[in-house]
């Protein structure tokens, strides 16, 4: 039987695809925002608890977690400002029966788009310091160095280098409440919005810069991107291997779980590059 096809995408897959997993593993006790319910996992039924007549047995699971824990995407319903959601919707009236039917995460279409990594530490010569604000000048310099210009509709991922702390035995290091966390500020968020991004992501919990000792108290980047610009945020990404391999342009794939009316969803985003067989 012939395996030829007129589908160039399938032909590219057959030719080999290198897969970069940009999602963090989910485990009890992982670092996360203190504003959301923690991840817990248990096995209500384990092998041997119930055995079928033929000797078969199956285990099952119970997971409890917030939708903004681990690598996740923020829906437009996640943040309001002065009582308004994106597009001017009244935040209180938009919640119907405990759900957001218009701007919930179920309205985010699966993404297969051009992805661009902006590796800021490679431009600065070192990982961003705690509480460092990534400026528009930093982003411009990174674009010039890499030679890859973001275009409207892209997914833009901003690496700060903070992701190296995710596996630290002291989870507070990655959370960075006292130290601060690097990321874009309001000006950097406007730079990203000005590029017409479909979604943006980062290697930190809050995406944007957190000032030392202030935690998640003020998040102007969320306002600029979610409320004013309608741009989705992907947080707590693993961008280290992508940066190590110098991959700055790729096919980006992401599909949120269709939690009807929810403000976010866990995700496992992928970066795909033609050739090779990684993954």
């Amino acid at each position: 039987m012939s395996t030829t096809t007129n589908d160039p995408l399938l032909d590219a897959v057959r030719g080999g695809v290198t897969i970069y997993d940009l999602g963090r593993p989910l485990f009890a006790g992982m670092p996360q925002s203190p504003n959301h319910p923690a991840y817990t996992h248990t096995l209500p039924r384990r092998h041997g608890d119930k055995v079928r007549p033929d000797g078969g047995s199956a285990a099952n699971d119970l997971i409890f977690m917030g939708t903004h824990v681990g690598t996740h995407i923020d829906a437009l319903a996640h943040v309001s400002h002065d009582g308004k959601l994106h597009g001017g919707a009244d935040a209180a009236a938009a919640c119907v029966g405990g759900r957001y039917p218009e701007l919930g995460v179920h309205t985010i279409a699966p993404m297969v788009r051009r992805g661009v990594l902006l590796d800021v530490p490679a431009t600065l010569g070192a990982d961003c310091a705690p509480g460092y604000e990534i400026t528009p000048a930093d982003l411009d310099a990174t674009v010039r160095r890499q030679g890859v210009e973001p275009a409207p509709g892209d997914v833009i991922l901003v690496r700060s280098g903070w992701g190296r702390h995710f596996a630290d035995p002291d989870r507070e290091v990655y959370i960075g409440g006292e130290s601060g966390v690097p990321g874009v500020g309001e000006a950097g968020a406007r730079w990203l919005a000005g590029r017409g991004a479909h979604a943006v992501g980062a290697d930190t919990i809050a995406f944007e810069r957190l000032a030392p000792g202030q935690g998640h108290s003020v998040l102007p980047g969320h306002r600029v991107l979610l409320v004013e610009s309608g741009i989705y945020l992907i947080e707590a990404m693993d961008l280290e291997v992508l940066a190590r391999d110098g991959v700055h342009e790729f096919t980006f794939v992401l599909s949120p779980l269709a939690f009807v009316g929810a403000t976010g969803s866990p995700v496992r985003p992928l970066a795909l590059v033609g050739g090779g067989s990684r993954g």
Side-chain angles (χ1 to χ4, degrees):
M1 182 180 293
S2 173
T3 59
T4 60
T5 175
N6 293 321
D7 185 344
L9 180 58
L10 185 54
D11 289 340
V13 171
R14 284 181 174 145
V17 176
T18 299
I19 303 172
Y20 292 89
D21 187 346
L22 309 182
R24 294 289 184 183
L26 296 167
F27 59 90
M30 64 183 166
Q32 63 162 87
S33 166
N35 296 330
H36 300 281
Y39 173 91
T40 60
H41 169 248
T42 186
L43 294 169
R45 189 171 75 185
R46 306 183 183 197
H47 292 292
D49 289 346
K50 182 177 181 180
V51 180
R52 297 184 176 90
D54 65 355
S57 180
N60 62 23
D61 306 75
L62 176 65
I63 292 172
F64 180 89
M65 64 184 295
T67 59
H68 299 269
V69 174
T71 307
H72 63 276
I73 189 167
D74 291 352
L76 300 184
H78 180 47
V79 170
S80 65
H81 188 72
D82 291 335
K84 301 295 183 182
L85 295 170
H86 175 66
D90 181 273
C95 186
V96 180
R99 299 175 180 83
Y100 294 95
E102 299 300 325
L103 299 176
V105 76
H106 66 287
T107 65
I108 302 177
M111 299 178 197
V112 180
R113 291 177 174 265
R114 177 178 182 250
V116 173
L117 173 69
L118 298 182
D119 188 358
V120 176
T123 299
L124 299 178
D127 288 341
C128 297
Y132 178 81
E133 181 173 343
I134 296 173
T135 66
D138 294 333
L139 298 172
D140 283 330
T142 301
V143 168
R144 289 194 301 271
R145 185 189 63 81
Q146 296 180 175
V148 177
E149 184 76 38
D154 286 351
V155 176
I156 305 175
L157 309 181
V158 181
R159 178 177 176 263
S160 69
W162 199 251
R164 71 188 188 281
H165 295 306
F166 184 84
D168 193 291
D170 181 358
R171 66 196 295 267
E172 297 301 324
V173 173
Y174 183 72
I175 294 171
E178 293 302 316
S179 66
V181 179
V184 299
E186 181 171 352
R190 293 198 182 282
W191 187 98
L192 293 166
R195 269 58 187 175
H198 178 71
V200 295
D203 52 358
T204 63
I205 290 174
F207 175 80
E208 59 185 284
R209 182 236 182 195
L210 300 182
Q214 296 188 22
H216 295 69
S217 59
V218 180
L219 299 174
H222 279 60
R223 167 176 51 80
V224 169
L225 293 163
L226 289 170
V227 181
E228 297 179 10
S229 308
I231 296 172
Y232 307 114
L233 269 63
I234 311 159
E235 296 166 322
M237 303 184 76
D238 184 353
L239 304 178
E240 296 306 294
V241 179
L242 204 62
R244 182 201 68 190
D245 290 355
V247 177
H248 303 135
E249 185 179 23
F250 43 87
T251 297
F252 180 84
V253 179
L254 177 150
S255 186
L257 298 173
F259 295 136
V260 176
T263 65
S265 168
V267 291
R268 190 175 182 179
L270 305 175
L272 310 181
V273 181
S277 59
R278 178 183 171 84

